[in-house]
Amino acid sequence: MSARSAGTGNEPWWESAVVYQIYPRSFRDTTGNGIGDLRGIIDGLDHLVWLGVDALWLSPVFRSPMVDHGYDVSDYCDVDPLFGSLDDLDELIHKSHERALKVLLDWVPNHTSDQHPWFQESRSSREDPRRDWYIWRDGDPDTPPNNWTRAFPFGEPAWSYDENTGAWFLHLFSPEQPDLNWANPDVREAMHDTLRFWLDRGVDGFRMDVIHGIGKNPALPDLSDELAVIPATAFNDEPVTHEYLRDIRVLLDEYPTRPVAVGEVYLLDTAQVATYYGDGDELHLAFNFPPMFSFWDAGMWRQNITTAQDLITAAGNWPTWVLSNHDNPRHRTRYGGDETIARAAAVLLLTLQGTPFLYAGEELGLEDADVPPERIVDPSGGRRDGCRAPIPWTPDPGHGWEGPDPWLPFPPHSDRLNVASERDDPDSMLHFYRALLGVRHGSDALRLGSLDLLDAPDGVLAWRRTHEEDERIVLVNFTAGSQDIDRLTDHGVEISSDATRAATVGVFDGVLRPREAVILSPLGGVLRDV
Ligand code: GLC
């Protein structure tokens, strides 16, 4: 069975949507404590509407001791007071819907916080009814049950010994994030209830954290010595997880609003990632991270595109595209900081076949903040602090954040790269993203169409998107030199990443400028004035 019905006009909303990821701590603060909150997100909704995205995904806002800034949940059905209240979240969902924005929450099913009452009970005694809700193993207190290592701190064992009951518990992340035992049907039922709780409150779906981790091989076999230095989460790929996902899908399908499940499948092989769509009966969408780790290189991106086509689209599934998120350096930083590359990358992200995910601040062209050692707060040792820097809203030194310094320093050039200054500058990155999103919204080919790679000179990628009568061609010049593409001069330039071309937008002159990306439409079609 196909997971989607291509081009029937009955596509699910999430296929054509552009999703905007908000890291709530960093978005907007209304209390003056230097940490973003839900009311700040409510205030920011009009920014998202003006920009032209379709959905927002909030990184976790549930009750949490915040060891991993919310990815350690101590109550799945309440909001942490740091972010506001359940009423605030209800209001956020309501006000988003009023603005035709969908809302995705971040569901963290692989592990809880060690402060979650379930774990407190589980660790209290071997006889506790919730003992089996987590993954406990007996053994010598000096030798962990296997050689798995955790994600952070990197290289440390994925096990901690609990003196109280004299046993080891498994945690693929920090010791404060014990892994749930999904083999226990009571755990599955309890976690299903948390999904229903939020669906009944009107959310439109979930980003599912480390979803490939939930099923574990009960034998917990050692990894080879070579692999054991890499966090075990990168290898956990068990058949039973697919059963759990099918159950989750049945639950989601009970809701007429077609809630979406987007899985964080942090496996570094797209062939493995693709299996998590199941036979159209598991995840609707899965993050495919290998492209995020690519360089800005035409050959690598050609490969990324063909791999997604061969392994995801060809099986009737719908890819996702992500350049930045809260776990990795921002792509502008990774690609060397150059604004022209960041603009071309935006064209790439928003015109490939699949659902694009923007990370708040990329529309401003933000780079990672420089975080001095004394301000490191990320449990991974600071690797992820730079990309989590607060969003600058205004040019003044406080950048719209009241009170003392926010929880992390601002990104570089926040006096220029901020919402207010960029709104005032029609040539800004922010206006470019908005124009690009407008072009995408105006074209079924770009949102839903098929994708065919076209021949192009070395260092250039070219593809055609087609949906019924609608057609667009996208050209991306990855090189620092001009490139001749003379055969497309029967097309018009709908939008260009090169601000100097915008003034002369019109018939394509057959020459791509250095690092330029353009969207072309057949002449005779309506050309947009940018
Ligand atoms: C995911 C999240 C990351 C978090 C980890 C543990 O990878 O994206 O931020 O630390 O899961 O929940």
Side-chain angles (χ1 to χ4, degrees), residues 21 23 57 59 68 70-72 106 108 110-111 151-152 173-174 177 207 209-210 233 264 266 289 325-327 378-379 384 388:
Q21 180 192 357
Y23 195 69
W57 144 34
S59 280
D68 191 12
Y71 284 96
D72 48 323
D106 203 322
V108 187
N110 178 67
H111 45 267
F152 39 78
F173 294 86
S174 78
Q177 293 164 294
R207 180 264 189 185
D209 189 63
V210 204
T233 175
E264 186 205 25
Y266 219 118
F289 288 132
N325 64 21
H326 65 296
D327 286 333
D378 172 24
R384 305 175 295 182
R388 296 175 178 180

